[in-house]
Amino acid sequence: AHVGHPTNMEPQTNYDESAVPSYELPDPLIDAAGNPVATAADWQSRRRPEILRLFEDEVYGRMPGPFESSHTEILDEDPGALGGRAVRRQTRLRFGDDETSPAMDLLLYLPSEATGPTRVFLGLNFFGNHSIHTDPGIRLSTEWMQSSKSNQIVDHRATEASRGVFASRWPVADILARGYGLATIYCGDLDPDFDDGYANGVHPLFYQDGQTQPEPHQWGSISAWAWGLSRGLDVLEEDDAVDAAHVAVMGHSRLGKTALWAGACDERFALVISNNSGCGGAALARRRFGETVAAINGNFPHWFCDNHRAYNDCEDELPVDQHQLIALAAPRPVYVASAIDDQWADPKGEYLASRHASPVYELLGQRELDAQQMPPVSQPLADGSIGYHVRPGGHDVTTYDWNRWMDFADRHWRG
Ligand code: GTR
């Protein structure tokens, strides 16, 4: 199973390190007026909100708070799922009062041998909750999704044959065996991933009278997905079997961009994980290596806010760069994972952004990413509060990645 990509082959794409332009990164510890940020309190109360606001207004778009008339319904529970290894719970959060209101379904697995509240990894998926495992008890998504022959999505709808098509990206048994829970939501429940001028999904719930699409500084699809992750955390907070103070938000690719953004906006997430998130995620925009701002806004006009288009081919004008997005996770642990053959996502740019987030972690008394060089493949740098690895292979999520994240979570949460 794989995600159908657009061409990813812009003729002008640069894959040559020697052709990376020289650039100057905005300093996370110098504010917009040019004053240094010298204390943790100064960062937290003044500089952090300033950077967050710039990412809202110039990159992803501002998102609203929770929807007022939301209703939670537990759809089903099975204490003996996966051959008795798991408790499976499916919860629907409906935004609005009637059956036609948009809703998101959260699938949760917890280890059946858990004796107390469980720490959970929460991530969005691309093709429905049923795509993460062959478990016949998972409700088959009925929502729109990208048609895909290889993933058994026919006429934009999931089929029974699409159960488990992405199981390799979600090693549920391993996660449970290590004592963690896993929660997931289909991103299309929040906003179907195509450009329709924001007529569907959750955006219209918040339109003012007469408004038909978000303002140029208001949320695009990545913000809507990130908003959904926060609503997922709301659901988990209501669940006594979940240790909601230890929820890691993770995501791959466009959903990895989303995980970083969700972790920046919602400080309840205790740990933040980006996998192969690339442009608009963990990779520095100013390097213009692989996917660029112009390429991503061209191929996916609905992901970012409209203001972001002003930076097409003008990356140096951006008031922020992606190392500052990673820094917004501080002081919470953050992990950035790259894949060496995924040059479109610029693994080196992802490493550099992680390293340049370090001064903020240091200021907050955390151990930074102290390697001056990008590490070789399969040599994770994960002793501090910023974890980084580049693994062999291409654009994907593997058990290797999950094992590193679980090692990292163990280290931070279990000492
Ligand atoms: C690509 C896109 C990347 C990444 C990827 C994915 O086509 O250019 O930014 O998001 O899709 O989400 O799989």
Side-chain angles (χ1 to χ4, degrees):
H2 61 89
V3 180
H5 283 193
T7 57
N8 286 2
M9 280 296 181
E10 314 281 322
Q12 69 281 24
T13 301
N14 178 42
Y15 290 116
D16 176 2
E17 192 59 37
S18 70
V20 169
S22 63
Y23 57 85
E24 202 182 317
L25 292 178
D27 189 329
L29 297 182
I30 296 185
D31 72 12
N35 303 311
V37 178
T39 65
D42 207 12
W43 164 264
Q44 197 60 32
S45 68
R46 206 168 55 80
R47 180 60 170 151
R48 186 181 192 284
E50 184 177 64
I51 295 176
L52 189 63
R53 182 40 56 99
L54 290 169
F55 276 107
E56 288 178 322
D57 287 353
E58 307 299 326
V59 185
Y60 306 102
R62 292 189 203 180
M63 61 179 88
F67 188 67
E68 254 175 47
S69 50
S70 298
H71 308 278
T72 309
E73 178 194 354
I74 295 179
L75 299 169
D76 50 66
E77 289 180 286
D78 182 355
L82 306 182
R85 277 173 305 169
V87 175
R88 185 192 61 239
R89 184 145 50 243
Q90 299 182 87
T91 306
R92 178 164 296 165
L93 181 60
R94 190 174 288 289
F95 309 114
D97 298 322
D98 60 82
E99 287 288 291
T100 59
S101 317
M104 63 171 223
D105 286 358
L106 181 133
L107 165 66
L108 174 66
Y109 284 113
L110 296 170
S112 41
E113 70 268 20
T115 51
T118 299
R119 295 161 178 178
V120 168
F121 289 82
L122 168 65
L124 298 173
N125 64 71
F126 285 82
F127 282 98
N129 295 344
H130 65 275
S131 69
I132 76 146
H133 199 282
T134 52
D135 179 356
I138 304 175
R139 302 169 77 94
L140 193 75
S141 175
T142 56
E143 295 304 311
W144 182 98
M145 51 190 74
Q146 197 186 324
S147 287
S148 164
K149 215 171 187 171
S150 58
N151 295 321
Q152 312 285 344
I153 312 299
V154 179
D155 292 336
H156 297 294
R157 300 292 153 185
T159 65
E160 278 292 331
S162 64
R163 289 188 179 280
V165 286
F166 276 104
S168 70
R169 290 183 175 180
W170 302 89
V172 178
D174 298 349
I175 295 168
L176 296 170
R178 291 185 62 158
Y180 290 104
L182 176 69
T184 190
I185 304 160
Y186 170 46
C187 68
D189 285 0
L190 285 320
D191 194 22
D193 191 4
F194 67 96
D195 182 22
D196 72 331
Y198 306 108
N200 59 21
V202 292
H203 296 96
L205 292 170
F206 293 91
Y207 289 161
Q208 307 291 317
D209 278 348
Q211 188 178 3
T212 56
Q213 57 177 52
E215 302 285 321
H217 66 283
Q218 289 180 328
W219 56 343
S221 292
I222 290 176
S223 278
W225 297 331
W227 181 88
L229 285 165
S230 286
R231 303 295 71 81
L233 185 49
D234 297 343
V235 170
L236 295 175
E237 280 186 332
E238 296 300 310
D239 192 326
D240 291 339
V242 171
D243 176 357
H246 294 92
V247 172
V249 62
M250 65 75 58
H252 168 61
S253 202
R254 67 198 68 182
L255 303 178
K257 312 178 204 302
T258 305
L260 284 172
W261 181 228
C265 294
D266 191 337
E267 294 179 89
R268 294 176 301 165
F269 287 115
L271 195 151
V272 183
I273 300 165
S274 147
N275 192 69
N276 304 179
S277 62
C279 179
L284 292 175
R286 280 168 173 74
R287 278 171 49 81
R288 286 152 265 199
F289 186 103
E291 188 171 31
T292 61
V293 172
I296 205 167
N297 280 328
N299 286 328
F300 308 101
H302 56 297
W303 284 2
F304 300 88
C305 69
D306 279 358
N307 280 344
H308 195 46
R309 295 173 202 217
Y311 305 100
N312 289 351
D313 301 313
C314 294
E315 289 84 351
D316 294 312
E317 304 299 315
L318 269 165
V320 288
D321 210 321
Q322 300 304 108
H323 61 307
Q324 293 169 306
L325 179 65
I326 297 171
L328 290 175
R332 298 161 294 160
V334 62
Y335 200 112
V336 172
S338 303
I340 198 67
D341 295 335
D342 186 16
Q343 293 291 311
W344 178 244
D346 188 14
K348 184 163 184 196
E350 296 187 316
Y351 153 74
L352 286 171
S354 308
R355 194 179 98 201
H356 290 298
S358 288
V360 176
Y361 276 83
E362 252 188 300
L363 181 70
L364 302 187
Q366 304 299 313
R367 188 165 155 200
E368 79 283 34
L369 190 76
D370 44 15
Q372 294 308 304
Q373 298 285 321
M374 181 171 172
V377 290
S378 310
Q379 292 189 27
L381 297 169
D383 294 338
S385 290
I386 304 176
Y388 176 84
H389 74 240
V390 53
R391 61 157 172 77
H395 192 67
D396 200 0
V397 191
T398 68
T399 303
Y400 175 89
D401 299 310
W402 274 100
N403 285 336
R404 300 293 75 72
W405 304 331
M406 290 192 281
D407 291 348
F408 190 65
D410 283 354
R411 201 169 313 121
H412 285 281
W413 290 346
R414 295 179 172 144

